């Protein structure tokens, strides 16, 4: 992350942390004894419920509702049922991700959810094609998909990075911080890349930083 781009983001990060502190009603020693009603917290909770209250209902429909297009009708129904099943899975944290994202949107003003696909493949052998004793195509090895899964990742607002820009279409790049162990790094990015990334993150509660 370039240092000059990081400085551009520091002001936004400082303001976001102040807003969160006001939301949590964190006061200093002088004002701690003052009895005040945190109306900012109350209003935010009302807005959170208005923006997102429960899991959305999945609806997949055809763009062109032709009465005799049974293939498209069945395909839409299959897609809808697949999505409904994904949300019902025990490991799916879609609901918690959306709740956290809505809160980030209302407080610092930046909510981020990323979709990530993990694919497992294996080498397979394709037999040669022989017609009347003549080999038309030789045997060849190919990589087949044996499993694939789409995961939803909540991105903490201060872990999202982007290039300085006046409007979003002018953004040149974006990224996010990902906190992984060495084994998780190697699994996601391979042994060569996973071995080079330094593990230098120190949580505040461990480093003593307040």
């Amino acid at each position: 992350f370039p240092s000059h781009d990081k400085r551009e983001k520091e002001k936004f990060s400082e303001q976001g942390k102040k807003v969160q502190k006001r939301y949590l009603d964190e006061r200093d020693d002088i004002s701690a004894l003052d009895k005040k009603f945190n109306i900012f917290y109350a209003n935010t909770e009302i807005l959170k419920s208005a923006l997102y209250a429960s899991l959305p209902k999945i609806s997949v429909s055809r763009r062109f509702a032709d009465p005799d297009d049974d293939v498209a009708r069945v395909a839409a129904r299959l897609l809808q049922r697949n999505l409904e099943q994904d949300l019902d899975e025990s490991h799916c944290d879609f609901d918690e991700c959306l709740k956290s994202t809505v809160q980030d949107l209302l407080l610092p003003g930046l909510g981020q959810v990323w979709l990530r696909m993990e694919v497992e493949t294996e080498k397979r052998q394709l037999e040669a094609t022989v017609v009347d004793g003549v080999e038309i195509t030789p045997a060849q090895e190919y990589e087949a998909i044996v499993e694939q899964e789409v995961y939803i990742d909540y991105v903490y607002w201060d872990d999202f990075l982007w290039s300085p820009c006046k409007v979003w279409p002018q953004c040149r790049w974006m990224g996010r911080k990902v906190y992984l162990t060495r084994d998780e790094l190697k699994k996601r990015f391979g042994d060569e890349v996973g071995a080079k990334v330094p593990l230098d993150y120190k949580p505040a509660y461990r480093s003593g930083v307040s």
Side-chain angles (χ1 to χ4, degrees):
F1 189 49
S3 58
H4 63 280
D5 290 347
K6 188 175 182 180
R7 289 195 298 269
E8 293 285 342
K9 182 176 177 292
E10 285 180 353
K11 183 177 180 180
F12 175 77
S13 297
E14 292 175 1
Q15 291 176 340
K17 292 174 182 177
K18 289 179 181 179
V19 172
Q20 284 193 322
K21 185 176 181 180
R22 182 64 59 87
Y23 170 78
L24 296 173
D25 199 14
E26 294 181 355
R27 310 177 192 178
D28 53 30
D29 295 336
I30 298 176
S31 59
L33 299 178
D34 296 340
K35 294 183 179 180
K36 296 180 180 179
F37 178 71
N38 191 350
I39 194 171
F40 178 48
Y41 174 88
N43 288 344
T44 302
E45 293 301 302
I46 293 174
L47 290 173
K48 283 167 59 177
S49 300
L51 292 175
Y52 180 78
S54 60
L55 282 172
K57 292 183 179 180
I58 305 299
S59 177
V60 179
S61 60
R62 296 171 291 165
R63 182 175 183 181
F64 304 105
D66 298 330
D68 298 328
D69 194 352
D70 292 334
V71 174
R73 177 180 57 81
V74 174
R77 182 63 60 87
L78 287 173
L79 287 173
Q80 179 170 325
R81 290 181 177 179
N82 285 337
L83 293 173
E84 289 174 344
Q85 181 179 349
D86 288 342
L87 290 182
D88 291 338
E89 295 289 343
S90 58
H91 65 272
C92 179
D93 53 356
F94 182 90
D95 186 54
E96 292 300 323
C97 285
L98 265 291
K99 289 179 180 178
S100 299
T101 303
V102 169
Q103 179 166 311
D104 286 353
L105 179 63
L106 293 173
L107 295 180
L110 175 62
Q112 281 290 316
V113 169
W114 284 33
L115 296 178
R116 171 174 50 87
M117 175 178 284
E118 289 191 0
V119 181
E120 292 185 12
T121 61
E122 66 179 14
K123 299 291 185 180
R124 292 183 180 178
Q125 191 72 20
L126 186 65
E127 297 181 357
T129 303
V130 180
V131 178
D132 296 332
V134 180
E135 185 179 80
I136 306 300
T137 57
Q140 54 184 331
E141 188 180 60
Y142 70 98
E143 198 167 7
I145 297 176
V146 295
E147 185 176 352
Q148 57 183 0
E149 186 83 20
V150 175
Y151 295 93
I152 180 169
D153 293 337
Y154 160 68
V155 182
Y156 183 62
W157 67 272
D158 203 27
D159 290 339
F160 179 65
L161 313 172
W162 68 95
S163 65
C165 55
K166 294 181 178 179
V167 292
W168 190 249
Q170 296 178 356
C171 181
R172 294 176 288 106
W173 58 264
M174 68 185 74
R176 65 182 177 119
K177 297 178 182 179
V178 181
Y179 303 93
L180 301 174
T181 64
R182 181 67 67 191
D183 292 338
E184 291 171 337
L185 275 169
K186 292 181 179 180
K187 181 180 179 181
R188 184 179 297 188
F189 302 104
D191 293 339
E192 183 177 355
V193 176
K196 294 180 179 179
V197 178
L199 302 181
D200 54 1
Y201 171 68
K202 296 181 180 180
Y205 64 86
R206 293 184 57 185
S207 62
V209 179
S210 56

